[in-house]
Amino acid sequence: MNTFDSLQQQLRNRETTCERITESYLRQIEQKRHLNVFRSLFSERAMERARVIDKKLSDNSAGPLAGMVIAIKDVINLKDEVTTCGSKILEHFVSPYDAMIVKKLHDADAIIIGKTNMDEFAMGSSTENSAYGVVLNPIDETRVPGGSSGGSAVAVAANLSRTSLGTDTGGSIRQPAAFCGIVGLKPTYGRVSRFGLVAFASSFDQIGPFGSCVRDVAHILQTIAGHDEHDSTSANIPVPKYLEQLTGDVKGLRIGLPKEYFADELDAEIRNAIMQKVELLKQHGAEVKEISLPHTEYTIAVYYILTTAEASSNLARYDGARYGYRSPNAKDLTSMYTKSRSEGFGSEVKRRIMLGTYVLSAGYYDAYYRKAQRVRRLIKQDFDNAFKEVDCLLTPVSPTTAFKFGEKMEDPLQMYLSDIYTVSANLAGIPGLSLPCGNDHQGLPIGLQLLGKQFDEGTILRVGDFLERC
């Protein structure tokens, strides 16, 4: 397998250079512009950076990610560059500072090549909600790449960058990874600093990596994980050496199959592909057992009540007064607010703001928001109970493979149900890994999901690495 480890060996042997690697990706990006992956491209900046790192390699002072070309989702701030969040309302917003993960990538000598297209404010499951056009799935260009981190997933799948960063509020890394046939990791809530990430739903959002293999994802996580005093939700818990946990051995591991995730609605081809992997795990000494997560049926309702409530609060700052777009048609303060927001936001964002405002309003707060918070606690308890019996869980990522453009745009509920197997990890704050496990009869990738205990990314990376080798 062509891993970052083998690329590092080539760099050490002087068989290639960072400059040549970066040039190669820039050529690929130019040839595949029609995929609409990038919102911003940093050609000169990336080439200059590559030459600096080549000098460091020559005197053995380069960082652990020397040679790693990475794209980042356009919801993460990069100093002096535009951060649009896929929205017209932030079309010309230039960040005055770097996100913490950007600083860590720079310190490790990664090369940031550009910022990727996405669903507006990370709200969507297909990357059809961007104000800057849809992103095409490179495997079948008539189909969606998944969302909301569709641009970041396609950057890796189409070989436009070695790795990329996305964000996952309800499956926005794991579902596009599955639709594009690559690996995506949502770390534990609090494992990676969100300082410099534009908020959608603050108690759910998490930054995580995409890669073509588990080892590449582990390399990125090793760099970006860790406590950050600038982020009050960042956990001060030691970061283990993830690559050392990729032993290729699953003997003795206890793996649970939640029966609620294998109901009749699951596509038969997806079920069969996953069960083949389950057999492999059994053959190599893993103990696989069925377990139950009894409150699974409430996850979509709870997720959309709580995330829209948080979104309506977080997005209140975009009113034309301080950030982003201000309507030229406003005549007074009130019309500046209403016209700037009406003209600046897209339809899906408006739908979620209105829903969130409703569930937080007087008379409905207890009936919806407070009740949803209580059910979230029960869902978290389901996982706590499950992890007393098993070390990790194995599930599908999505009920279907990648669907056609427009297929679900007129039915928001059907679109929301695309995330039915992924949102629970965000409700519980646990890590989740998506990796390929075969193709359906149309040649479309099928994704498999591994869910772990809080701050135990090592176990799901270990199992994912094993399955990748088989």
Side-chain angles (χ1 to χ4, degrees):
M1 181 177 286
N2 177 24
T3 66
F4 180 60
D5 300 294
S6 60
L7 181 65
Q8 284 184 310
Q9 188 61 48
Q10 292 174 37
L11 286 165
R12 282 193 291 269
N13 295 341
R14 308 288 194 267
E15 295 168 13
T16 188
T17 65
C18 294
E19 189 172 3
R20 268 186 259 160
I21 294 166
T22 306
E23 275 180 336
S24 173
Y25 281 121
L26 288 170
R27 278 197 301 274
Q28 287 283 332
I29 291 169
E30 186 59 37
Q31 290 169 9
K32 298 177 183 176
R33 264 187 191 278
H34 68 286
L35 297 176
N36 196 26
V37 169
F38 285 93
R39 281 297 308 129
S40 309
L41 193 60
F42 312 136
S43 304
E44 292 182 13
R45 184 171 173 166
M47 288 300 295
E48 183 181 339
R49 182 87 181 134
R51 287 188 281 271
V52 169
I53 297 168
D54 279 334
K55 286 182 182 174
K56 288 186 173 184
L57 283 164
S58 66
D59 61 16
N60 296 318
S61 63
L65 292 185
M68 176 70 81
V69 174
I70 187 167
I72 63 174
K73 187 175 180 178
D74 196 21
V75 71
I76 299 168
N77 283 325
L78 190 61
K79 187 177 181 182
D80 299 330
E81 301 290 350
V82 172
T83 300
T84 69
C85 300
S87 179
K88 182 181 174 183
I89 209 162
L90 286 177
E91 187 172 8
H92 303 295
F93 173 72
V94 177
S95 173
Y97 71 101
D98 281 335
M100 178 52 71
I101 56 102
V102 167
K103 182 178 183 307
K104 288 187 173 186
L105 289 172
H106 277 151
D107 291 346
D109 283 336
I111 299 166
I112 298 175
I113 200 165
K115 301 182 78 175
T116 57
N117 201 354
M118 54 178 283
D119 280 309
E120 185 176 8
F121 283 101
M123 298 181 192
S125 304
S126 61
T127 317
E128 292 174 284
N129 295 326
S130 171
Y132 305 100
V134 301
V135 177
L136 307 185
N137 189 323
I139 296 164
D140 179 344
E141 294 181 7
T142 67
R143 294 176 186 272
V144 304
S148 62
S149 308
S152 293
V154 175
V156 174
N159 198 29
L160 309 182
S161 64
R162 175 146 211 114
T163 55
S164 61
L165 289 181
T167 59
D168 193 314
T169 303
S172 289
I173 290 174
R174 290 160 288 156
Q175 186 247 29
F179 280 12
C180 294
I182 60 171
V183 179
L185 173 70
K186 171 214 169 294
T188 305
Y189 186 81
R191 175 57 93 191
V192 175
S193 169
R194 299 178 304 163
F195 177 73
L197 168 69
V198 179
F200 158 21
S202 303
S203 73
F204 293 79
D205 299 335
Q206 189 60 66
I207 298 171
F210 289 96
S212 56
C213 63
V214 172
R215 289 192 69 84
D216 283 8
V217 163
H219 273 289
I220 297 296
L221 181 64
Q222 194 72 60
T223 296
I224 64 175
H227 181 242
D228 173 19
E229 63 182 13
H230 296 97
D231 177 0
S232 61
T233 64
S234 168
N236 193 2
I237 294 176
V239 178
K241 295 184 184 304
Y242 296 113
L243 289 162
E244 292 181 1
Q245 297 185 47
L246 308 185
T247 59
D249 180 21
V250 293
K251 190 174 181 180
L253 274 180
R254 301 168 302 161
I255 298 172
L257 301 182
K259 63 181 182 182
E260 292 82 1
Y261 286 56
F262 291 87
D264 294 341
E265 295 78 17
L266 178 63
D267 183 280
E269 287 185 297
I270 295 176
R271 179 197 305 272
N272 292 338
I274 290 174
M275 296 316 291
Q276 287 177 20
K277 297 296 184 185
V278 169
E279 286 304 312
L280 278 174
L281 290 164
K282 288 180 180 175
Q283 290 168 14
H284 288 79
E287 178 189 339
V288 181
K289 63 186 291 188
E290 183 180 275
I291 56 101
S292 178
L293 300 170
H295 295 95
T296 296
E297 65 179 297
Y298 304 113
T299 55
I300 288 289
V302 169
Y303 174 81
Y304 278 97
I305 288 173
L306 296 179
T307 56
T308 56
E310 294 185 19
S312 73
S313 175
N314 279 327
L315 271 59
R317 73 192 72 176
Y318 306 112
D319 55 11
R322 187 173 179 186
Y323 291 105
Y325 176 79
R326 178 181 295 179
S327 173
N329 304 313
K331 296 177 180 174
D332 51 32
L333 186 64
T334 302
S335 67
M336 182 187 76
Y337 291 157
T338 54
K339 288 183 181 296
S340 296
R341 289 170 67 81
S342 298
E343 296 166 15
F345 288 133
S347 57
E348 180 61 26
V349 172
K350 289 178 194 169
R351 179 184 292 122
R352 298 197 193 195
I353 289 174
M354 287 190 286
L355 178 58
T357 304
Y358 177 78
V359 302
L360 288 175
S361 58
Y364 299 101
Y365 181 89
D366 286 342
Y368 295 106
Y369 184 78
R370 191 182 298 277
K371 186 176 288 186
Q373 287 285 29
R374 290 173 177 161
V375 180
R376 182 180 190 177
R377 180 65 212 170
L378 295 174
I379 292 167
K380 170 69 166 54
Q381 190 62 52
D382 284 351
F383 282 99
D384 291 344
N385 292 338
F387 288 129
K388 291 175 183 172
E389 299 182 47
V390 295
D391 299 306
C392 67
L393 304 174
L394 190 153
T395 79
V397 177
S398 174
T400 67
T401 51
F403 47 87
K404 297 263 189 183
F405 282 106
E407 190 176 323
K408 299 187 180 185
M409 285 298 281
E410 301 304 317
D411 188 344
L413 181 57
Q414 282 303 311
M415 186 71 85
Y416 298 165
L417 288 171
S418 300
D419 303 327
I420 192 166
Y421 301 133
T422 52
V423 296
S424 55
N426 302 79
L427 286 162
I430 61 175
L433 179 72
S434 170
L435 69 156
C437 75
N439 297 83
D440 69 6
H441 69 284
Q442 300 177 92
L444 300 170
I446 294 171
L448 174 154
Q449 177 175 231
L450 295 161
L451 301 173
K453 301 173 188 172
Q454 283 188 319
F455 300 102
D456 187 21
E457 285 84 1
T459 296
I460 57 175
L461 289 168
R462 175 183 164 192
V463 177
D465 175 62
F466 166 81
L467 291 172
E468 206 171 62
R469 297 186 196 197
C470 290

